[in-house]
Amino acid sequence: MTKAPRGIGLGFRVGMAERFLEEAPEIVGWVEVHPENYIGRGGRYRDYLKRAMERWPVVTHGLSTCLGDTDPSDAEYLAQLRSFLGDVGTPWHSEHLCFGSVGGAALHDLLPLPFTEEAATLAARRLDEVRSAVDVELAFENVSYYAPQPTEMGDESGLEEATFCAEVLERTDAKILLDVNNVYVNSQNFGFDPRAFIDRIPPERVIQMHVAGHFVRDDGLRIDTHGSSVCEDVYDLLDYTLRHVGPVPVLLERDNDIPPLEELIAEVERLDAIYQRATAEAPRAAVAP
Amino acid sequence: MSEQTLAEREATVARMCLAPTPATEDLDTLGSPDRWQIYRRMVRARMHRVCETALKLSRAAYGEEAFTKLVDEWLAAEPPTTRFFRELPNQMARWALSDEGRLVEPAHLRDLLRYEDALWAVRAEDDRDLPEVVDFSFEGVPAFNPSSRFLPLEWGVDKRADDGSVEPLEGALLVYRTAGFTVPCMRLNPLAAAIVRELRDAQEAGRAVTEAVQRAAASEKRAVDQKFIESLSGLLEKLITRGIVRGCLK
């Protein structure tokens, strides 16, 4: 039976798995895993996943089925993915609104799409394809980007990306995994109001959120590294977003320079306090997939 | 607004990331060259890092600079096609070994790369949902656990002197994953290597253990006498208790 993820979750990473599984902190309500780390793989990873599934609801978040890829869909992988999602019992699955594979070459990064009609059409089509292939609720995640993108989403307020995301949502019945850190990083790098971005996303379409830490270069450019603590501005933006969308599960991502478990749990506790306070006053019930 | 189609734009980004040096024309087409170079560095750094981690002994033996150049050449010539990040070092190693003219010095380098490639692959090998087996018997067809690799090498790269040098190897290496997820290496003498090779071939060909053993004895010009039987029993016990041989196919 699928268990519903609630409250604050933690990205499940092998680097911290042993102690995390042993201590199974109560404050962590659910975990998120990347299917690519487990599909076709045995050994320690599978053992950790099995133990995590015994303790928490598990939600899946893909890295390689990028919704803006112009390469044909990989039917064989999608069949494997469907099987994996069924085994895990995830209530929904998410992929990124970006591209990562070109002419058969896998670039292993989340590369930005232009905010164009062609890209929105492609992403909407891919969302429908992937959703019918995996047979589970599907969401896309907004990504961070560092180079200005061509746009046809005319907007004088600098919210071309938000308009692009809303446009893709409009064309499909998919949900959005709203990465609050990515919204913040992009707002600082490209000079728009992150709250205006959040306001443009239909709250009823938000199924999950991400928060993470990022890196600020000497020249001020912010890079989404998942390698440090969540910054104050992102905590504030999360509070604002929760009041906008209601009690949607929030995930803390940490992929690099993973600190001792105590530090991660302290971040989860702070996120939980924000979550409890903001959602107590939020108007909307949690999204039920 | 860009004049390129989306597919053209994505191809430009890929070229910009994977070429030995990004073409000025590609950077100009994308606009904001400094920002796009960030992507180039991120893409390449991740790929270099995983290869350096998985193939650290080969990197040390070849030299850091030469290894970096090798990875750069791979990215330009035959970029990764796998969506599984863990498989990048295996793809890189396969490409590097595909040309006999590469990695000629030191002499054991190619064997060292084969060895590390095997260690990395065995660590992640999927051993779930395997065909059912019955107890091991000489009449049955042997069933190996896929999380093992038989390496008929010329150099004993599993044992390295402090200066990195290695001795020639007589026989072969067998790397395998334990129940505790470690990946040790067994050294096989020439007879044991012949037996394991024949047992693995027997699984592929559907031959019985008895026939595999006879073929191994013949290839090593050994009589199947008491001493042979004792060696065989000791080897089979190790293969079975360590989970390398699961039993016989049903």
Side-chain angles (χ1 to χ4, degrees), chain A residues 66-85:
Chain A
C66 298
L67 300 164
D69 281 347
T70 51
D71 282 357
S73 289
D74 181 345
E76 187 183 335
Y77 175 71
L78 289 176
Q80 291 177 303
L81 180 61
R82 176 185 176 135
S83 169
F84 178 79
L85 304 188

Side-chain angles (χ1 to χ4, degrees), chain A residues 32-154:
Chain A
E32 183 190 83
V33 300
H34 302 309
E36 289 86 347
N37 287 343
Y38 302 93
I39 289 174
R41 185 179 209 159
R44 191 183 301 276
Y45 276 69
R46 277 286 178 168
D47 182 63
Y48 283 147
L49 176 62
K50 184 168 170 281
R51 289 161 63 190
M53 286 167 60
E54 289 166 2
R55 173 65 182 79
W56 291 283
V58 175
V59 174
T60 56
H61 179 50
L63 298 171
S64 66
T65 305
C66 298
L67 300 164
D69 281 347
T70 51
D71 282 357
S73 289
D74 181 345
E76 187 183 335
Y77 175 71
L78 289 176
Q80 291 177 303
L81 180 61
R82 176 185 176 135
S83 169
F84 178 79
L85 304 188
D87 290 347
V88 168
T90 188
W92 63 80
H93 175 68
S94 56
E95 297 283 349
H96 294 90
L97 189 59
C98 68
F99 73 97
S101 183
V102 181
L107 296 168
H108 293 278
D109 211 322
L110 307 173
L111 299 158
L113 290 172
F115 308 131
T116 60
E117 170 70 25
E118 185 187 9
T121 302
L122 172 71
R125 195 186 76 226
R126 290 300 276 256
L127 273 160
D128 288 342
E129 273 176 21
V130 176
R131 180 173 177 174
S132 48
V134 299
D135 196 28
V136 67
E137 186 83 72
L138 186 65
F140 69 81
E141 179 185 348
N142 56 303
V143 299
S144 53
Y145 64 102
Y146 314 112
Q149 294 304 306
T151 181
E152 291 169 352
M153 304 288 159

Side-chain angles (χ1 to χ4, degrees), chain B residues 201-217:
Chain B
D201 288 352
Q203 177 176 344
E204 290 298 310
R207 287 194 290 265
V209 172
T210 307
E211 190 180 344
V213 169
Q214 286 166 348
R215 292 167 75 109

Side-chain angles (χ1 to χ4, degrees), chain A residues 19-268:
Chain A
R19 241 193 104 198
F20 181 62
L21 288 164
E22 198 177 294
E23 299 196 6
E26 285 283 325
I27 191 80
V28 176
W30 54 287
V31 296
E32 183 190 83
V33 300
H34 302 309
E36 289 86 347
N37 287 343
Y38 302 93
I39 289 174
R41 185 179 209 159
R44 191 183 301 276
Y45 276 69
R46 277 286 178 168
D47 182 63
Y48 283 147
L49 176 62
K50 184 168 170 281
R51 289 161 63 190
M53 286 167 60
E54 289 166 2
R55 173 65 182 79
W56 291 283
V58 175
V59 174
T60 56
H61 179 50
L63 298 171
S64 66
T65 305
C66 298
L67 300 164
D69 281 347
T70 51
D71 282 357
S73 289
D74 181 345
E76 187 183 335
Y77 175 71
L78 289 176
Q80 291 177 303
L81 180 61
R82 176 185 176 135
S83 169
F84 178 79
L85 304 188
D87 290 347
V88 168
T90 188
W92 63 80
H93 175 68
S94 56
E95 297 283 349
H96 294 90
L97 189 59
C98 68
F99 73 97
S101 183
V102 181
L107 296 168
H108 293 278
D109 211 322
L110 307 173
L111 299 158
L113 290 172
F115 308 131
T116 60
E117 170 70 25
E118 185 187 9
T121 302
L122 172 71
R125 195 186 76 226
R126 290 300 276 256
L127 273 160
D128 288 342
E129 273 176 21
V130 176
R131 180 173 177 174
S132 48
V134 299
D135 196 28
V136 67
E137 186 83 72
L138 186 65
F140 69 81
E141 179 185 348
N142 56 303
V143 299
S144 53
Y145 64 102
Y146 314 112
Q149 294 304 306
T151 181
E152 291 169 352
M153 304 288 159
D155 197 304
E156 293 178 0
S157 54
L159 293 174
E160 296 86 355
E161 187 202 358
T163 307
F164 180 67
C165 290
E167 184 65 31
V168 174
L169 283 172
E170 181 71 28
R171 294 174 189 212
T172 69
D173 61 356
K175 297 289 195 290
I176 182 169
L177 188 174
L178 188 54
D179 190 311
V180 175
N181 179 61
N182 288 347
V183 172
Y184 179 76
V185 163
N186 293 346
S187 76
Q188 298 303 295
N189 288 342
F190 295 100
F192 63 83
D193 176 3
R195 295 186 176 203
F197 184 113
I198 300 298
D199 291 344
R200 195 155 292 195
I201 302 300
E204 72 280 3
R205 305 292 287 276
V206 181
I207 200 166
Q208 181 188 332
M209 288 193 275
H210 274 172
V211 289
H214 61 263
F215 174 70
V216 187
R217 300 195 332 169
D218 290 343
D219 64 0
L221 187 74
R222 290 168 195 261
I223 306 284
D224 177 37
T225 55
H226 300 181
S228 57
S229 303
V230 178
C231 75
E232 290 302 319
D233 285 350
V234 171
Y235 279 126
D236 289 346
L237 187 59
L238 175 67
D239 181 90
Y240 179 84
T241 309
L242 282 164
R243 290 170 196 277
H244 177 68
V245 303
V248 169
V250 175
L251 184 98
L252 174 63
E253 294 184 292
R254 187 69 183 253
D255 294 303
N256 296 302
D257 295 326
I258 296 177
L261 188 60
E262 291 78 9
E263 276 182 44
L264 278 178
I265 296 308
E267 276 196 282
V268 171

Side-chain angles (χ1 to χ4, degrees), chain B residues 95-107:
Chain B
W95 170 82
L97 292 165
S98 67
D99 183 342
E100 294 287 337
R102 276 190 213 111
L103 310 173
V104 290
E105 290 289 338

Side-chain angles (χ1 to χ4, degrees), chain B:
Chain B
M1 191 176 73
S2 171
E3 291 173 7
Q4 288 187 306
T5 65
L6 184 59
E8 288 166 346
R9 182 176 175 81
E10 293 184 359
T12 304
V13 173
R15 225 170 25 242
M16 186 273 303
C17 288
L18 298 169
T21 306
T24 306
E25 188 188 344
D26 286 340
L27 288 167
D28 288 345
T29 300
L30 293 169
S32 306
D34 291 349
R35 294 293 183 91
W36 279 106
Q37 294 262 25
I38 294 171
Y39 282 105
R40 175 180 162 86
R41 286 195 292 275
M42 290 195 306
V43 166
R44 300 176 75 83
R46 280 171 60 76
M47 294 180 180
H48 273 272
R49 213 159 39 234
V50 71
C51 290
E52 289 165 7
T53 301
L55 308 171
K56 58 180 179 293
L57 299 174
S58 303
R59 180 175 180 241
Y62 197 34
E64 291 182 12
E65 200 174 317
F67 188 87
T68 299
K69 198 171 158 219
L70 184 72
V71 176
D72 284 342
E73 285 172 16
W74 167 59
L75 292 179
E78 198 174 295
T81 53
T82 177
R83 69 177 62 241
F84 301 113
F85 191 63
R86 64 180 182 272
E87 292 179 351
L88 262 58
N90 303 113
Q91 285 203 341
M92 202 288 284
R94 250 196 318 277
W95 170 82
L97 292 165
S98 67
D99 183 342
E100 294 287 337
R102 276 190 213 111
L103 310 173
V104 290
E105 290 289 338
H108 67 273
L109 181 58
R110 293 176 69 85
D111 276 359
L112 186 58
L113 187 57
R114 290 187 184 100
Y115 171 66
E116 284 197 291
D117 175 44
L119 291 177
W120 191 256
V122 163
R123 191 167 285 121
E125 193 68 57
D126 197 353
D127 60 353
R128 297 163 302 127
D129 304 326
L130 299 176
E132 267 190 73
V133 292
V134 294
D135 286 346
F136 187 84
S137 74
F138 281 85
E139 292 72 38
V141 174
F144 278 80
N145 192 311
S147 62
S148 64
R149 291 283 188 286
F150 174 67
L151 300 170
L153 304 178
E154 292 177 14
W155 297 89
V157 289
D158 59 321
K159 292 178 183 167
R160 298 163 303 282
D162 289 345
D163 64 357
S165 61
V166 299
E167 298 292 326
L169 176 71
E170 286 193 32
L173 302 180
L174 182 62
V175 298
Y176 63 100
R177 192 171 70 218
T178 67
F181 311 119
T182 58
V183 184
C185 176
M186 269 174 79
R187 270 200 178 195
L188 305 175
N189 63 32
L191 177 59
I195 292 170
V196 171
R197 184 190 65 234
E198 289 297 340
L199 286 172
R200 294 180 80 92
D201 288 352
Q203 177 176 344
E204 290 298 310
R207 287 194 290 265
V209 172
T210 307
E211 190 180 344
V213 169
Q214 286 166 348
R215 292 167 75 109
S219 75
E220 290 300 303
K221 299 183 173 52
R222 294 281 302 265
V224 183
D225 53 15
Q226 186 61 30
K227 193 175 173 196
F228 181 96
I229 299 290
E230 282 171 11
S231 299
L232 175 64
S233 300
L235 175 64
L236 290 176
E237 186 187 355
K238 282 181 190 165
L239 295 177
I240 293 167
T241 56
R242 295 178 189 187
I244 301 166
V245 168
R246 301 162 54 226
C248 283
L249 295 174
K250 204 168 181 180

